[in-house]
Amino acid sequence: MYLPKFDYHRPRSLPEALMMLAKLGNKCKVVAGGTDLMVAMKQRRATPPHLMDLTHIDQLTKIEQTKSGRLKIGTLATLAQVAASSLVQSFSPALAQAAWEAGSPLLRNRGTVGGNILQETRCRYYNQSAGWRKGKDTCLKMDGKVCHINPNGTSCLSTYAGDLAPVLLAEGTTVKIATLRQVEEVPLASLFTGNGLTPVQLKPQALITAIYISPVENGQEKGGIYRKLRSRPSIDFPLVGLAMVWESTLLAGQKTNQIRVAVTGVSSQPHLATGTGAALSGTLPDDGKLAQIQDILRNEVKVIDTGSCPAWYRKEMLGQLLAEAVDKLKSNPIGQGGSMHE
Amino acid sequence: MTNYRHIGRHVPRVDGPEKATGKAIFTVDVELPNMVYGKILRSPYPHARIKSIDPSEALATPGVLYVLTGAEIPHIRYAFVDTPRYPADEQPLAVDKVRYIGDEVAAVVAETEQLAEEALEKIQVEYEILPAVFTFAETLKPDAPIIHETSYESGNTAWEKWGVKGKWQLEGNGQAVANSNISAETQVTLGDVESGLAQADLVRTDTFSCKATAHCAMEPHAAVASYDSNTGKLDLYLSTMGIFYKRFILAQVLEMPLNKVRVKHTYVGGAFGGKIDVFPYEFCAAYLSRKLCRPVKFELSREEVFTTTRQRHPIDVTITTGIKNDGTIVVQDIKVLADNGGYRGSGPIVSYLCHGFSFPVYKVDNYRYHAMATYTNNPIRGPQRGHGAPQIRFAIDSQLDMLARELGLDITEVMLKNARQKGDVLPNGDYLGSCGLQESILGAKEKIGWSKIRGRSLPQDPGRKKRGVGISLCAMFSGAMYYPFTSAAVIKIHDDGSATLFTGTQELGQGAYTTLAQIAAEVLNLEMDQVSVVGGDTEICPIDIGSYLSGGALVTGNAVKMAAEDARNQILFWAGQKLGVAPEKLTLADKIVTVLGTDQELSVSIVTNFAILQNNGLPIEGRGSYKGYPETDRYPSLAKGKGLFTGAYGFAAQAVEVEVDTLTGEVKLLKASTHHDCGYPLNENIVEGQVEGCASMGQGQALCEEVILEQGLMLNANFLDYKLPLAPDTPDCAHQPVNTMEPRGPFGAKEVGEGSVAGMLAAVANAVYDAVGVRITSLPITPNKVLAALQKQKKEQDSK
Amino acid sequence: MSNQPVNLTPQKLVPLEVAVNNRTYLLEIKPNETLLELLRNRLKLTGTKKGCDQGECGCCTVLIDDEPASSCLVLALSTHGRKITTVEALEENGQLHWLQEAFVKHGAIQCGFCTSGMLLVAKSLFERNNSPSRQEIMEAIAGNICRCTGYEKIIEAIWQATNPLGNNTGAQLPKGGELFD
C-alpha cells in the first residue's frame, strides 16, 4: 500500500514547526511516531497535502520535573520512555502502566504521548482500506451520509481507544498548547469533544508541546492503576480501559480517599466518571456498596459497539475492572500501580 | 530404540543459516530485470452482474501497460476440484458475474507498483447488484438466488486428464447439479443405523459450529512470471505448496507444453494449505508476461490474502451418537454443512474429509454420514491445516465428553474402548499398519496431570479462577493419490563421494529439505554437510507429490530413501567389482568402502571413476520413487467416500489444562500436551516444532480466531482484528512422540505437521466444561460466550 | 497503452542522510517512501520483510538507533541522521551472530519469514537486559507474529543464548515440560 503523495517538512525546533503550521494551516498534518497516521494514510482515510515530521525536535521529547515540582512530559516522549521512566512512576504509576499496556513493544518505541492522546477514534467500518470501504456507502466520518453502526442516526459513533487519556483525565492533567502567537495551558479534558467526527479540538496551527501532572500535596499519599481489558496480551486496543487515581489523606485517624475514575474504549471520548469517583471517595466501600457503585459506573458511561466485542460484555467488564481497581487500592494503596505483568 | 547417525536426531536445519541471515529468497523478494508490476481490481459487491468495464482512463495513463479483463479470456476455467461430477467453476477474471466481495474483475500491469495501484482507481466498472446469500439457511431456500447458474461442461476435466475416471464418479447423472447452490455432497452408510440406535443405552444429538479461520502465513501470496519470447519458455516463481500441480494447471490453461513451463525454487513463508489452489493473480502474471514479454510480479496485500485467497470452511456438524453403558459407541449419524463461498473451492474434498477424519479414530460399526457444501456469496473456502479434521473432531469429541459424563464414565476410558488399533482395517479398506492412539491417550492423560485436576473444580468452590482438563483425538492422512500421484528422487554421487539430492518437494518451513537430506545422509552414511539438497524446481527436480497432502515424510521420504539405497547399492556393486568381493561383504561410511572384517578399503572417488570407465560412462546416480498410495490409482470417491485413501495415518491425543476466569469469562491455556504418533520422528526438533506450531494454531482457533463476516464482507482482514496467538499466549507445552514404527514409512515415519491442530479444539472445550461446567458448542470460545453461559448457569442454579 | 512519457519521479525528491548497517548513505528520495521500501526496493536489503504493511505483524522490524520498530510505518525521510540496523548487519565476515546460531541450533526457524524481526528484537533485548526471563522474552517479542513455531522454540533459543546454563540467575527454565512434573 503506497502512501499518498505529500510535501514533506522537517522542522528542527519548535518555533520553526509553529511557523510552518501557521503558514500551512489545515493543509498540513503533523506526524511523530506514525503508528496512527501512517495507517490512516495508507488506507486513504487521511491524505494531507503537507506532512510535518516532528521527530527531529529533541526539546519535545523530555520527561522532567519542573521548577514548581510538576511532572512535565514532552509531547514527543515515546510510550516506551514513559513506561520506563522512574519519574513518571513516582508521579503517576497508573500512567507508567498505561503506557506499558499500549500497543506492542514495536509500537511503543515509536508511538508518542501526543500521538496517543490525539489518536483518531475507531470503528470497524472506518478503520479499513480504501478498497474495502468502496463496497459500502461513505460513512459520516469520511464526509459521507450514513453511519453503518446506526443507520438511523446522524452522529458519528466512532470510539476513542487511547490508553493514556483515561489516566491523564483522572490525574487532572493539563496540556500546553502552542501556536506561533501564544502559548496556553488548558485541562486535557477540554480537548475532547465527544464528537466522533472531530474527537479532539485543536487548531490546525497548534501543537501540543507537553503535558503536566501536579505533585501530590503534603500529607497525601498517591496511587493509581490502569486496567485494560484486551483480547490478546499485546498489539490490541482496549476493549474497555479503566483508570483510577487516588489521593489518600489521614483525617482524624481515618484514611480518606479522593478518587477519580476515567474510562476509555467506550464512546467517542475518554470519559471521566465523576459520579463513580465521588461515590468511591471518602472511606473505602464494602462489597455491597461496591455493587451499587459498579451500577453507577455502568449508568454514567455509554458503551457503544463499534468493534467486534459486544457492548453488553464490555459494559459488564467495566464493573469488573472497577472492582479490581478498588482491590488494588485496598491492598497496595501507595506508589506501585501494580505489576507490569498483570 | 534404534541408534541412527542422523535419523531421529536433532539435526540443525540445512536452510537455517540462509533464513537467519536474511539471504533466503522468497517469492516476494524476487526481482528480475525489466520487471513490471500487476494489481487486481476486485468486486466490492458480493453478487453482481458485470455490465461493462471501461479501462480507457487507466490505459491512457503513462506507465500503464495493459488491462486484462475476463472478456479477453472467457474460456479459461480451472479449480482445485475438477471432476466430471464437479467440473471447474473458477475463472481468473470474472466474465459475467462476480460472486463474492473481492472476486477478480480486472488485472492491471504498470511500470511501477505504485502506478499499478493508482491505475486500479481509473478502471470504471458498471455492476448490476444481485441479491446475495450468506448462510446455509439462506442459500438452501427454494427461492434463493442461484450463484452458479450454468452447469459447466465436464468431459475435459483435470481429473480425467490424469486418467482418473472411475465408474463410481459417474454415478447418478454424472453431472454437477445445475441450478442449485449445493456445490458438493457426500453420503456414506455403514452397517445399520437403526439397529445401532436400538442397541444404544444412551443417545445424544448435538450441533456444533465452527467459524471460518485464516491461514495467516506470514509471507503474503505473490507470483512472478517471466516469459522469454525467443525460447517460448515461461519461468514462474510461486509461493506455493505444489509446484507440479500448479505447473500442470497453468500450462493447461495457457495451452503450453509442460517442458516450456518451469516453476523455480523459492522458499515459502508458510502455507498451511492456503497456497495450493491456482489463484487468478498467478494466471494473470503468467498470461501477461507472455503478452508483454516482460517479467510480471503480483504481490497481494495482507487484506487480499485474508479475503481473496482461501479460508477454512465454516462448518456446522449435527451429530447423533448412541453409546452403551460400558462406553462402546454403537452408532453415529453425522450431518455436515460446509460453506464454501462463491466458488466451489475445496468443498467436495472437505465434504469427504469430515468423514475421512472421523472413521480412522473410533471404530463405529453403524454409521451414517451426509455432508453438503454450499455456495454462498462469502469468500472462497479451501484447504487449511486439517481440512475438515478440526471441525469434525471438535464435534465428535465434545459430544463424547458429554456422553461419557452422562454415563458416569471418564472420557479417556471411553476413548480407549473405542479408539482404533494397529491392524484395524478401516471401512474404506485402509489398513492401519501402525496406530498409537491407545498409547497417546494414556500418555497425554498422564502428562497433563489428569487425575489431579479432572473433576476437582466444583461450582460451589470459592475462588475466581477455576481449572480443568480436557482431551481430544485426531488422525491425519500421510499422502494420497492426487496429482501427480507420486514422488520421485534422484541422488547424484559426485566424483568425491559427496552427494546432491534432487527433490521436487518445496520447503514451506516444515523442514522438508533437512529431513530428506537426513534420510539421504543416513543411508549413504555421510556427514550432513556432504549432502546438498536441490528442491522446488519443476525443471531440474523429479516429480513430487507436493507439500499439501501431508505426504512429505511417507511418500517423498520413501522416494528419497529408495534413491539413496539405489545409489549406495551401485557404489557397493562397483566397489565389489573392483575388489572382487560380493557387495554383501562391503560397508560404506564417509565416502569410504570397506571390506567387512578387514582393513581393505576403497574411496568412493575411485569407485565412481571405475564405474564410469566400466559402464559405458554411466555415472552413479540413485533413483527412487514412491506412489502416493501403492494399492490404489486414485483418490477416494468424494461423493461416496468409497476407495482407499491413504497408506498410513498419523494420530494424536491432545490434552490441555485451562484456567477460566469466572468473572470475565476469559479462558487461559495453561498447558498443552500432544502425544503424537508420527511413526518415528525423523528429526526430533523439527517434529516437535511442527507440533508446537499446530498446537498454537489449534489454540487460536479454539479460543480467539474467527473470520468475522457481515453480508460477505470480512470485518477483520488484518492482524490487529484477526486474533491469532502472540508470544505471551504460549502455554507450557510438553509434546511427546509415540513411536509406532509405521512399516510403510521410511525409518517408520509417517505424517506429522498437519494433524495436531484438530485435537486442540474439543480438548479446550472439554477443559472449559471441566473447569466451570459450561458447554460451548460454537468456536471460538470467546470470553463473552463463556461469561454469558456462566451467567445463564448461575440463573438456573439460583432458580432451583 | 499511452505513449506519453512515464514520470517515474512524480514528486520533488528530498535529500536524506541515513546510516544503514554502519554505512552512511546520501540519497534523494520521494517523501512518501517508507523505511521498509527504502531498505527493500532501493538498497536491495530483502532480509527485512513486508508481512502486513500496517505495523501489526513485526516482520518488518528493524532497529532505529538500537530500538526495534516497524519500518513499514516509518517515513524514510524521518530517519535522517539516524542509525538503522537490519538483519544483514548481524552476520560478520561470514560468521553467524551468536543469536543467529542459537536460532539455528534450537529450531527457532521454520519458514523464516518472521526471523529477521525476532533476531533484532532479541538483540535489542539483550542490550538492555543480559539475562531475560522467559516472561520478559515473551513480552519483548509480543509484537512479532509467528505462525509456524507457536513461539516456543524462539523463546527457548533467545533464553538459551542469553542465559547460558550456569550464568542464569533466577530466570525460569524455558522448557515447559519440566514444569509439568
Side-chain angles (χ1 to χ4, degrees), chain B residues 181-227:
Chain B
N181 284 334
I182 298 173
S183 68
E185 201 162 352
T186 304
Q187 297 188 74
V188 181
T189 309
L190 303 164
D192 179 345
V193 168
E194 301 313 318
S195 129
L197 288 168
Q199 288 173 50
D201 294 316
L202 171 65
V203 177
R204 281 195 67 103
T205 300
D206 298 283
T207 300
F208 300 87
S209 70
C210 298
K211 289 271 171 68
T213 57
H215 307 77
C216 299
M218 296 318 289
E219 184 204 6
H221 288 56
V224 179
S226 181
Y227 181 76

Side-chain angles (χ1 to χ4, degrees), chain B residues 499-654:
Chain B
T500 297
L501 162 65
F502 293 82
T503 164
T505 198
Q506 305 87 65
E507 178 57 70
L508 317 168
Q510 83 282 44
Y513 289 174
T514 306
T515 317
L516 297 172
Q518 280 174 262
I519 292 175
E522 183 71 43
V523 172
L524 293 167
N525 211 352
L526 289 168
E527 285 290 4
M528 283 296 294
D529 69 358
Q530 296 295 308
V531 177
S532 298
V533 180
V534 173
D537 188 316
T538 57
E539 188 155 283
I540 58 183
C541 302
I543 204 157
D544 189 270
I545 203 156
S547 309
Y548 64 103
L549 292 169
S550 287
L554 192 83
V555 183
T556 306
N558 267 330
V560 170
K561 185 161 183 270
M562 188 175 152
E565 283 162 354
D566 183 29
R568 187 184 67 189
N569 291 344
Q570 289 176 47
I571 292 170
L572 295 180
F573 173 80
W574 290 107
Q577 292 285 299
K578 184 142 175 76
L579 293 169
V581 172
E584 301 81 58
K585 293 205 165 72
L586 299 172
T587 58
L588 172 66
D590 293 299
K591 305 187 277 191
I592 306 280
V593 179
T594 311
V595 182
L596 277 168
T598 77
D599 51 13
Q600 202 183 359
E601 57 180 44
L602 207 56
S603 75
V604 172
S605 325
I606 294 182
V607 176
T608 53
N609 184 248
F610 179 76
I612 283 171
L613 297 175
Q614 293 294 313
N615 198 15
N616 197 23
L618 187 68
I620 295 184
E621 282 178 9
R623 299 175 63 120
S625 67
Y626 192 84
K627 193 175 163 196
Y629 188 174
E631 286 83 344
T632 182
D633 289 346
R634 60 179 66 88
Y635 201 83
S637 151
L638 297 175
K640 299 286 174 195
K642 288 206 185 100
L644 297 174
F645 178 27
T646 185
Y649 290 83
F651 294 96
Q654 303 192 262

Side-chain angles (χ1 to χ4, degrees), chain C:
Chain C
M1 196 171 94
S2 163
N3 286 322
Q4 296 300 310
V6 188
N7 187 354
L8 292 177
T9 53
Q11 289 175 267
K12 199 172 90 170
L13 302 181
V14 179
L16 169 66
E17 182 178 316
V18 60
V20 180
N21 298 339
N22 293 319
R23 168 162 290 159
T24 304
Y25 293 89
L26 300 172
L27 301 157
E28 287 211 323
I29 66 168
K30 299 178 297 185
N32 69 346
E33 190 161 321
T34 63
L35 177 59
L36 180 62
E37 287 156 9
L38 178 94
L39 293 170
R40 284 182 61 81
N41 303 343
R42 204 176 279 276
L43 298 180
K44 311 299 181 192
L45 295 168
T46 56
T48 308
K49 305 299 185 196
K50 186 202 293 188
C52 73
D53 218 15
Q54 281 188 182
E56 293 162 353
C57 74
C59 290
C60 68
T61 302
V62 298
L63 301 181
I64 302 179
D65 290 343
D66 302 316
E67 295 290 343
S70 297
S71 59
C72 69
L73 293 185
V74 175
L75 286 176
L77 285 177
S78 81
T79 64
H80 191 74
R82 306 272 188 238
K83 181 181 85 167
I84 311 295
T85 310
T86 70
V87 70
E88 285 88 351
L90 294 177
E91 189 186 13
E92 251 184 77
N93 298 324
Q95 290 278 79
L96 291 183
H97 187 276
W98 52 271
L99 276 169
Q100 290 171 318
E101 271 179 13
F103 268 55
V104 174
K105 178 174 164 197
H106 293 283
I109 305 173
Q110 289 191 27
C111 84
F113 209 73
C114 75
T115 301
S116 59
M118 295 286 185
L119 283 167
L120 292 170
V121 170
K123 177 181 194 292
S124 167
L125 171 68
F126 183 71
E127 278 155 15
R128 286 177 282 117
N129 176 352
N130 67 357
S131 71
S133 66
R134 183 178 161 90
Q135 180 70 29
E136 284 166 333
I137 292 170
M138 290 199 288
E139 284 163 6
I141 61 172
N144 293 74
I145 298 178
C146 175
R147 192 51 152 172
C148 294
T149 66
Y151 303 101
E152 182 58 45
K153 293 199 185 317
I154 295 176
I155 297 165
E156 173 158 1
I158 297 172
W159 191 90
Q160 292 284 0
T162 55
N163 291 281
L165 282 170
N167 285 357
N168 174 13
T169 48
Q172 280 181 292
L173 285 169
K175 271 307 263 182
E178 279 111 72
L179 295 174
F180 272 49
D181 303 314

